[in-house]
Amino acid sequence: MSLSVDTPLHPSRDEIELAAVLHALSDPVRLLMVRGLFEVADGRSCGSFDVPVTKSTCTHHFKVLREAGVIQQRQEGTRRVNTLREEDLDARFPGLLGTILEAAGPLPQLTART
Amino acid sequence: MSLSVDTPLHPSRDEIELAAVLHALSDPVRLLMVRGLFEVADGRSCGSFDVPVTKSTCTHHFKVLREAGVIQQRQEGTRRVNTLREEDLDARFPGLLGTILEAAGPLPQLTART
């Protein structure tokens, strides 16, 4: 058997549910990740986040964010790159992401900016 | 022993945490309750909500909302009356509650309006 690169499932724009988005953003670590992805057009890989959790927990958090429709994940070789679905979220729930990120305040030093 | 009427604990305005508020609002039933409390100045008792859950689940949901700082609970005789902490939430996280309620859309028939 070869290693399979699974294609992650994403909800379509219309399938994005408010409760799921709020749940995804209700975890402080996931909120940090989303703040680290904001306005980063090319996205970031899991490994680029300096968050205080193990790699498997990090992977889990990204899965929750993806399944809620908050982020898009794409495979680039061995890296899984994450981008924020800003356009989809703004179309579905105008102003929501921006208001939540504003409420979260400036990004702390905890998350790497690269 | 007599029945004690416990005084529910509420976080102060400054203690209200974004993650806790988002978590409290990430449950569809709790979101319904909050929409039913919006702009109801005098508040509503648990029993006035026509939500598809048992009384004890209803009580639990109100506790989560209270502990997150989303609602205020006061005892009026045997009734516990709930009001939305709109002013505190707006001071702490400007625009957040309104944006979330707007994203939730119009209130369905499920919740009684009385």
Short mmCIF file of all heavy atoms in Angstrom, two decimals, chain B residues 25-80:
data_model
loop_
_atom_site.label_atom_id
_atom_site.label_comp_id
_atom_site.label_asym_id
_atom_site.label_seq_id
_atom_site.Cartn_x
_atom_site.Cartn_y
_atom_site.Cartn_z
N LEU B 25 -22.65 30.84 22.37
CA LEU B 25 -23.55 31.11 21.24
C LEU B 25 -23.41 30.05 20.12
O LEU B 25 -24.10 30.13 19.11
CB LEU B 25 -23.26 32.50 20.67
CG LEU B 25 -23.51 33.66 21.65
CD1 LEU B 25 -23.14 34.99 21.01
CD2 LEU B 25 -24.97 33.70 22.11
N SER B 26 -22.56 29.07 20.33
CA SER B 26 -22.31 28.08 19.28
C SER B 26 -23.30 26.92 19.33
O SER B 26 -23.21 26.01 18.51
CB SER B 26 -20.89 27.54 19.39
OG SER B 26 -20.77 26.69 20.51
N ASP B 27 -24.21 26.95 20.28
CA ASP B 27 -25.24 25.90 20.34
C ASP B 27 -26.54 26.47 19.77
O ASP B 27 -26.98 27.55 20.19
CB ASP B 27 -25.44 25.49 21.80
CG ASP B 27 -26.49 24.41 21.92
OD1 ASP B 27 -27.70 24.76 21.94
OD2 ASP B 27 -26.13 23.22 21.96
N PRO B 28 -27.15 25.76 18.82
CA PRO B 28 -28.35 26.29 18.17
C PRO B 28 -29.49 26.64 19.14
O PRO B 28 -30.17 27.65 18.95
CB PRO B 28 -28.77 25.16 17.23
CG PRO B 28 -27.52 24.40 16.96
CD PRO B 28 -26.72 24.48 18.23
N VAL B 29 -29.67 25.84 20.20
CA VAL B 29 -30.73 26.14 21.16
C VAL B 29 -30.39 27.40 21.95
O VAL B 29 -31.24 28.28 22.16
CB VAL B 29 -30.99 24.94 22.11
CG1 VAL B 29 -31.95 25.33 23.22
CG2 VAL B 29 -31.55 23.76 21.32
N ARG B 30 -29.15 27.52 22.37
CA ARG B 30 -28.76 28.72 23.12
C ARG B 30 -28.87 29.96 22.24
O ARG B 30 -29.26 31.03 22.70
CB ARG B 30 -27.34 28.56 23.67
CG ARG B 30 -27.26 27.58 24.83
CD ARG B 30 -25.98 27.76 25.63
NE ARG B 30 -24.78 27.36 24.93
CZ ARG B 30 -24.25 26.15 24.97
NH1 ARG B 30 -24.83 25.18 25.66
NH2 ARG B 30 -23.13 25.87 24.33
N LEU B 31 -28.53 29.79 20.98
CA LEU B 31 -28.65 30.92 20.05
C LEU B 31 -30.12 31.33 19.91
O LEU B 31 -30.44 32.53 19.88
CB LEU B 31 -28.06 30.51 18.69
CG LEU B 31 -27.65 31.61 17.72
CD1 LEU B 31 -26.74 32.64 18.35
CD2 LEU B 31 -26.95 31.00 16.50
N LEU B 32 -31.01 30.34 19.87
CA LEU B 32 -32.45 30.64 19.83
C LEU B 32 -32.87 31.43 21.07
O LEU B 32 -33.64 32.39 20.99
CB LEU B 32 -33.25 29.33 19.83
CG LEU B 32 -33.70 28.73 18.51
CD1 LEU B 32 -34.51 27.48 18.77
CD2 LEU B 32 -34.53 29.74 17.72
N MET B 33 -32.39 30.99 22.23
CA MET B 33 -32.75 31.66 23.48
C MET B 33 -32.29 33.12 23.47
O MET B 33 -33.02 34.02 23.87
CB MET B 33 -32.10 30.93 24.65
CG MET B 33 -32.68 29.55 24.88
SD MET B 33 -31.59 28.57 25.96
CE MET B 33 -32.76 27.34 26.56
N VAL B 34 -31.06 33.33 23.02
CA VAL B 34 -30.50 34.68 23.00
C VAL B 34 -31.29 35.55 22.02
O VAL B 34 -31.58 36.71 22.32
CB VAL B 34 -29.00 34.63 22.64
CG1 VAL B 34 -28.45 36.01 22.30
CG2 VAL B 34 -28.22 34.04 23.80
N ARG B 35 -31.67 34.98 20.90
CA ARG B 35 -32.47 35.75 19.94
C ARG B 35 -33.83 36.10 20.56
O ARG B 35 -34.40 37.16 20.29
CB ARG B 35 -32.64 34.96 18.65
CG ARG B 35 -31.33 34.84 17.90
CD ARG B 35 -31.30 33.61 17.03
NE ARG B 35 -32.00 33.83 15.78
CZ ARG B 35 -32.23 32.86 14.90
NH1 ARG B 35 -31.83 31.63 15.14
NH2 ARG B 35 -32.86 33.12 13.79
N GLY B 36 -34.34 35.19 21.37
CA GLY B 36 -35.62 35.44 22.03
C GLY B 36 -35.53 36.48 23.14
O GLY B 36 -36.54 37.04 23.56
N LEU B 37 -34.31 36.72 23.62
CA LEU B 37 -34.11 37.71 24.70
C LEU B 37 -33.75 39.09 24.15
O LEU B 37 -33.80 40.08 24.90
CB LEU B 37 -32.98 37.26 25.63
CG LEU B 37 -33.27 36.10 26.58
CD1 LEU B 37 -31.99 35.71 27.32
CD2 LEU B 37 -34.36 36.48 27.57
N PHE B 38 -33.39 39.14 22.88
CA PHE B 38 -32.88 40.39 22.32
C PHE B 38 -33.95 41.48 22.36
O PHE B 38 -35.07 41.27 21.90
CB PHE B 38 -32.41 40.14 20.88
CG PHE B 38 -31.73 41.32 20.26
CD1 PHE B 38 -30.56 41.83 20.80
CD2 PHE B 38 -32.24 41.92 19.12
CE1 PHE B 38 -29.91 42.92 20.23
CE2 PHE B 38 -31.60 43.01 18.54
CZ PHE B 38 -30.44 43.51 19.10
N GLU B 39 -33.57 42.59 22.91
CA GLU B 39 -34.45 43.77 23.03
C GLU B 39 -35.72 43.50 23.84
O GLU B 39 -36.74 44.17 23.64
CB GLU B 39 -34.78 44.34 21.63
CG GLU B 39 -33.52 44.95 21.00
CD GLU B 39 -33.76 45.60 19.64
OE1 GLU B 39 -34.80 45.32 19.03
OE2 GLU B 39 -32.90 46.38 19.21
N VAL B 40 -35.68 42.51 24.73
CA VAL B 40 -36.76 42.28 25.68
C VAL B 40 -36.25 42.81 27.02
O VAL B 40 -35.54 42.13 27.75
CB VAL B 40 -37.13 40.78 25.78
CG1 VAL B 40 -38.23 40.56 26.80
CG2 VAL B 40 -37.56 40.24 24.43
N ALA B 41 -36.55 44.06 27.29
CA ALA B 41 -35.94 44.78 28.41
C ALA B 41 -36.19 44.11 29.76
O ALA B 41 -35.30 44.05 30.60
CB ALA B 41 -36.44 46.22 28.43
N ASP B 42 -37.41 43.62 29.98
CA ASP B 42 -37.75 43.05 31.28
C ASP B 42 -37.28 41.61 31.44
O ASP B 42 -37.40 41.05 32.53
CB ASP B 42 -39.26 43.10 31.49
CG ASP B 42 -39.76 44.53 31.60
OD1 ASP B 42 -38.92 45.41 31.91
OD2 ASP B 42 -40.95 44.77 31.38
N GLY B 43 -36.81 41.02 30.39
CA GLY B 43 -36.34 39.65 30.46
C GLY B 43 -37.45 38.63 30.34
O GLY B 43 -38.63 38.98 30.25
N ARG B 44 -37.06 37.38 30.35
CA ARG B 44 -38.02 36.28 30.22
C ARG B 44 -37.58 35.15 31.13
O ARG B 44 -36.38 34.94 31.36
CB ARG B 44 -38.06 35.77 28.78
CG ARG B 44 -38.61 36.76 27.79
CD ARG B 44 -38.46 36.26 26.36
NE ARG B 44 -39.11 34.97 26.17
CZ ARG B 44 -39.15 34.33 25.01
NH1 ARG B 44 -38.54 34.83 23.95
NH2 ARG B 44 -39.77 33.17 24.90
N SER B 45 -38.54 34.41 31.62
CA SER B 45 -38.21 33.25 32.47
C SER B 45 -37.93 32.05 31.58
O SER B 45 -38.31 32.00 30.40
CB SER B 45 -39.37 32.94 33.40
OG SER B 45 -40.48 32.49 32.65
N CYS B 46 -37.27 31.05 32.16
CA CYS B 46 -36.94 29.82 31.42
C CYS B 46 -38.20 29.23 30.78
O CYS B 46 -38.19 28.82 29.63
CB CYS B 46 -36.34 28.79 32.37
SG CYS B 46 -34.69 29.22 32.96
N GLY B 47 -39.29 29.22 31.55
CA GLY B 47 -40.51 28.56 31.09
C GLY B 47 -41.17 29.21 29.89
O GLY B 47 -42.00 28.59 29.23
N SER B 48 -40.81 30.46 29.60
CA SER B 48 -41.47 31.17 28.50
C SER B 48 -40.88 30.83 27.14
O SER B 48 -41.37 31.30 26.12
CB SER B 48 -41.39 32.68 28.73
OG SER B 48 -40.09 33.16 28.41
N PHE B 49 -39.83 30.03 27.13
CA PHE B 49 -39.19 29.68 25.86
C PHE B 49 -39.73 28.36 25.35
O PHE B 49 -39.68 27.36 26.06
CB PHE B 49 -37.67 29.58 26.02
CG PHE B 49 -37.00 30.91 26.17
CD1 PHE B 49 -36.94 31.52 27.41
CD2 PHE B 49 -36.46 31.55 25.07
CE1 PHE B 49 -36.34 32.76 27.55
CE2 PHE B 49 -35.85 32.77 25.21
CZ PHE B 49 -35.79 33.39 26.44
N ASP B 50 -40.23 28.38 24.15
CA ASP B 50 -40.75 27.17 23.55
C ASP B 50 -39.63 26.52 22.73
O ASP B 50 -39.62 26.58 21.50
CB ASP B 50 -41.95 27.51 22.66
CG ASP B 50 -42.58 26.25 22.08
OD1 ASP B 50 -42.31 25.16 22.61
OD2 ASP B 50 -43.32 26.38 21.09
N VAL B 51 -38.68 25.95 23.44
CA VAL B 51 -37.55 25.31 22.76
C VAL B 51 -37.65 23.79 22.91
O VAL B 51 -38.22 23.31 23.90
CB VAL B 51 -36.19 25.82 23.33
CG1 VAL B 51 -35.88 27.21 22.81
CG2 VAL B 51 -36.18 25.78 24.85
N PRO B 52 -37.11 23.06 21.94
CA PRO B 52 -37.30 21.60 21.91
C PRO B 52 -36.36 20.85 22.84
O PRO B 52 -35.70 19.91 22.42
CB PRO B 52 -37.03 21.26 20.44
CG PRO B 52 -36.01 22.28 20.02
CD PRO B 52 -36.32 23.53 20.80
N VAL B 53 -36.29 21.27 24.10
CA VAL B 53 -35.43 20.58 25.08
C VAL B 53 -36.18 20.48 26.42
O VAL B 53 -37.15 21.20 26.65
CB VAL B 53 -34.10 21.34 25.31
CG1 VAL B 53 -33.23 21.30 24.06
CG2 VAL B 53 -34.34 22.77 25.74
N THR B 54 -35.72 19.59 27.28
CA THR B 54 -36.34 19.44 28.60
C THR B 54 -36.03 20.66 29.47
O THR B 54 -35.12 21.43 29.17
CB THR B 54 -35.79 18.20 29.32
OG1 THR B 54 -34.39 18.41 29.54
CG2 THR B 54 -36.01 16.93 28.51
N LYS B 55 -36.76 20.78 30.57
CA LYS B 55 -36.57 21.92 31.47
C LYS B 55 -35.14 21.93 32.03
O LYS B 55 -34.51 22.98 32.14
CB LYS B 55 -37.60 21.87 32.61
CG LYS B 55 -37.58 23.12 33.48
CD LYS B 55 -38.74 23.12 34.45
CE LYS B 55 -38.75 24.41 35.30
NZ LYS B 55 -37.45 24.68 35.94
N SER B 56 -34.63 20.73 32.37
CA SER B 56 -33.29 20.70 32.97
C SER B 56 -32.23 21.08 31.93
O SER B 56 -31.23 21.73 32.27
CB SER B 56 -33.00 19.33 33.58
OG SER B 56 -32.89 18.35 32.58
N THR B 57 -32.43 20.69 30.69
CA THR B 57 -31.49 21.09 29.63
C THR B 57 -31.56 22.59 29.43
O THR B 57 -30.54 23.27 29.25
CB THR B 57 -31.80 20.35 28.31
OG1 THR B 57 -31.73 18.95 28.57
CG2 THR B 57 -30.82 20.70 27.23
N CYS B 58 -32.78 23.10 29.48
CA CYS B 58 -33.00 24.54 29.35
C CYS B 58 -32.24 25.28 30.45
O CYS B 58 -31.52 26.25 30.19
CB CYS B 58 -34.50 24.81 29.44
SG CYS B 58 -34.98 26.46 28.93
N THR B 59 -32.38 24.79 31.68
CA THR B 59 -31.68 25.39 32.82
C THR B 59 -30.17 25.36 32.60
O THR B 59 -29.46 26.33 32.87
CB THR B 59 -32.04 24.63 34.11
OG1 THR B 59 -33.46 24.66 34.26
CG2 THR B 59 -31.40 25.25 35.33
N HIS B 60 -29.69 24.23 32.09
CA HIS B 60 -28.25 24.09 31.81
C HIS B 60 -27.80 25.13 30.77
O HIS B 60 -26.76 25.78 30.96
CB HIS B 60 -27.94 22.68 31.31
CG HIS B 60 -26.59 22.58 30.66
ND1 HIS B 60 -25.42 22.58 31.38
CD2 HIS B 60 -26.22 22.53 29.35
CE1 HIS B 60 -24.39 22.52 30.55
NE2 HIS B 60 -24.85 22.48 29.31
N HIS B 61 -28.58 25.27 29.72
CA HIS B 61 -28.20 26.23 28.68
C HIS B 61 -28.14 27.65 29.24
O HIS B 61 -27.23 28.42 28.90
CB HIS B 61 -29.20 26.19 27.52
CG HIS B 61 -29.02 25.02 26.60
ND1 HIS B 61 -27.78 24.60 26.19
CD2 HIS B 61 -29.92 24.18 26.01
CE1 HIS B 61 -27.91 23.56 25.38
NE2 HIS B 61 -29.20 23.27 25.26
N PHE B 62 -29.09 28.01 30.09
CA PHE B 62 -29.07 29.35 30.68
C PHE B 62 -27.86 29.53 31.59
O PHE B 62 -27.29 30.62 31.66
CB PHE B 62 -30.37 29.64 31.43
CG PHE B 62 -31.47 30.12 30.53
CD1 PHE B 62 -32.60 29.36 30.30
CD2 PHE B 62 -31.35 31.34 29.88
CE1 PHE B 62 -33.60 29.80 29.45
CE2 PHE B 62 -32.34 31.80 29.03
CZ PHE B 62 -33.46 31.02 28.81
N LYS B 63 -27.46 28.46 32.25
CA LYS B 63 -26.27 28.53 33.11
C LYS B 63 -25.02 28.81 32.25
O LYS B 63 -24.18 29.64 32.62
CB LYS B 63 -26.12 27.19 33.87
CG LYS B 63 -24.95 27.12 34.82
CD LYS B 63 -25.06 25.87 35.69
CE LYS B 63 -23.92 25.74 36.67
NZ LYS B 63 -22.71 25.13 36.07
N VAL B 64 -24.91 28.12 31.12
CA VAL B 64 -23.76 28.34 30.23
C VAL B 64 -23.74 29.79 29.75
O VAL B 64 -22.71 30.46 29.76
CB VAL B 64 -23.79 27.36 29.03
CG1 VAL B 64 -22.69 27.70 28.02
CG2 VAL B 64 -23.64 25.93 29.50
N LEU B 65 -24.92 30.28 29.37
CA LEU B 65 -25.03 31.68 28.90
C LEU B 65 -24.67 32.66 30.01
O LEU B 65 -23.99 33.67 29.77
CB LEU B 65 -26.45 31.95 28.38
CG LEU B 65 -26.84 31.27 27.06
CD1 LEU B 65 -28.34 31.38 26.82
CD2 LEU B 65 -26.06 31.87 25.89
N ARG B 66 -25.14 32.38 31.22
CA ARG B 66 -24.86 33.27 32.35
C ARG B 66 -23.37 33.28 32.67
O ARG B 66 -22.75 34.34 32.85
CB ARG B 66 -25.65 32.83 33.58
CG ARG B 66 -25.22 33.54 34.86
CD ARG B 66 -26.12 33.25 36.05
NE ARG B 66 -26.32 31.85 36.33
CZ ARG B 66 -25.43 31.01 36.90
NH1 ARG B 66 -24.23 31.48 37.22
NH2 ARG B 66 -25.72 29.76 37.12
N GLU B 67 -22.77 32.08 32.76
CA GLU B 67 -21.36 31.99 33.13
C GLU B 67 -20.44 32.61 32.08
O GLU B 67 -19.33 33.04 32.39
CB GLU B 67 -20.97 30.53 33.40
CG GLU B 67 -21.61 30.02 34.69
CD GLU B 67 -21.30 28.57 35.00
OE1 GLU B 67 -20.80 27.85 34.11
OE2 GLU B 67 -21.57 28.14 36.13
N ALA B 68 -20.91 32.65 30.84
CA ALA B 68 -20.13 33.29 29.78
C ALA B 68 -20.30 34.81 29.79
O ALA B 68 -19.58 35.52 29.11
CB ALA B 68 -20.54 32.73 28.42
N GLY B 69 -21.28 35.29 30.56
CA GLY B 69 -21.52 36.73 30.61
C GLY B 69 -22.50 37.21 29.56
O GLY B 69 -22.65 38.41 29.34
N VAL B 70 -23.20 36.28 28.91
CA VAL B 70 -24.13 36.67 27.84
C VAL B 70 -25.47 37.12 28.42
O VAL B 70 -26.10 38.03 27.90
CB VAL B 70 -24.33 35.50 26.85
CG1 VAL B 70 -25.38 35.83 25.79
CG2 VAL B 70 -23.01 35.13 26.18
N ILE B 71 -25.89 36.48 29.50
CA ILE B 71 -27.17 36.86 30.13
C ILE B 71 -26.99 37.13 31.62
O ILE B 71 -26.01 36.69 32.23
CB ILE B 71 -28.27 35.78 29.96
CG1 ILE B 71 -27.88 34.49 30.70
CG2 ILE B 71 -28.58 35.52 28.50
CD1 ILE B 71 -29.04 33.53 30.92
N GLN B 72 -27.97 37.86 32.14
CA GLN B 72 -28.06 38.14 33.57
C GLN B 72 -29.28 37.36 34.07
O GLN B 72 -30.32 37.35 33.40
CB GLN B 72 -28.29 39.65 33.77
CG GLN B 72 -28.43 40.13 35.19
CD GLN B 72 -27.09 40.53 35.79
OE1 GLN B 72 -26.19 40.95 35.07
NE2 GLN B 72 -26.94 40.38 37.09
N GLN B 73 -29.14 36.70 35.21
CA GLN B 73 -30.29 36.01 35.79
C GLN B 73 -30.61 36.62 37.14
O GLN B 73 -29.73 36.86 37.95
CB GLN B 73 -29.99 34.51 35.97
CG GLN B 73 -29.80 33.78 34.66
CD GLN B 73 -29.77 32.26 34.84
OE1 GLN B 73 -28.94 31.73 35.56
NE2 GLN B 73 -30.69 31.57 34.20
N ARG B 74 -31.90 36.87 37.36
CA ARG B 74 -32.32 37.37 38.68
C ARG B 74 -33.52 36.56 39.13
O ARG B 74 -34.32 36.08 38.30
CB ARG B 74 -32.64 38.87 38.62
CG ARG B 74 -33.87 39.22 37.79
CD ARG B 74 -34.18 40.71 37.83
NE ARG B 74 -35.50 40.97 37.27
CZ ARG B 74 -35.74 41.11 35.96
NH1 ARG B 74 -34.75 41.03 35.09
NH2 ARG B 74 -36.98 41.33 35.52
N GLN B 75 -33.61 36.42 40.44
CA GLN B 75 -34.71 35.64 41.02
C GLN B 75 -35.89 36.57 41.30
O GLN B 75 -35.72 37.63 41.89
CB GLN B 75 -34.22 34.99 42.32
CG GLN B 75 -34.98 33.76 42.74
CD GLN B 75 -34.76 32.56 41.81
OE1 GLN B 75 -33.72 32.44 41.19
NE2 GLN B 75 -35.76 31.69 41.71
N GLU B 76 -37.07 36.19 40.82
CA GLU B 76 -38.30 36.95 41.15
C GLU B 76 -39.27 35.95 41.72
O GLU B 76 -39.98 35.27 40.97
CB GLU B 76 -38.89 37.60 39.89
CG GLU B 76 -38.13 38.82 39.44
CD GLU B 76 -38.85 39.60 38.35
OE1 GLU B 76 -39.93 39.16 37.90
OE2 GLU B 76 -38.33 40.65 37.94
N GLY B 77 -39.30 35.83 43.06
CA GLY B 77 -40.12 34.80 43.68
C GLY B 77 -39.60 33.43 43.27
O GLY B 77 -38.42 33.14 43.47
N THR B 78 -40.44 32.65 42.66
CA THR B 78 -40.00 31.31 42.23
C THR B 78 -39.47 31.31 40.80
O THR B 78 -39.01 30.29 40.31
CB THR B 78 -41.18 30.31 42.31
OG1 THR B 78 -42.24 30.79 41.47
CG2 THR B 78 -41.69 30.17 43.73
N ARG B 79 -39.57 32.45 40.12
CA ARG B 79 -39.12 32.52 38.72
C ARG B 79 -37.70 33.04 38.65
O ARG B 79 -37.30 33.93 39.39
CB ARG B 79 -40.00 33.49 37.91
CG ARG B 79 -41.42 33.06 37.71
CD ARG B 79 -42.23 34.23 37.20
NE ARG B 79 -41.99 34.57 35.82
CZ ARG B 79 -41.76 35.81 35.36
NH1 ARG B 79 -41.69 36.83 36.20
NH2 ARG B 79 -41.58 36.05 34.09
N ARG B 80 -36.94 32.47 37.73
CA ARG B 80 -35.62 33.03 37.43
C ARG B 80 -35.74 33.74 36.08
O ARG B 80 -36.05 33.12 35.06
CB ARG B 80 -34.56 31.92 37.37
CG ARG B 80 -33.18 32.46 37.15
CD ARG B 80 -32.11 31.46 37.47
NE ARG B 80 -31.90 31.31 38.91
CZ ARG B 80 -30.92 30.59 39.45
NH1 ARG B 80 -30.09 29.95 38.68
NH2 ARG B 80 -30.79 30.51 40.75
#
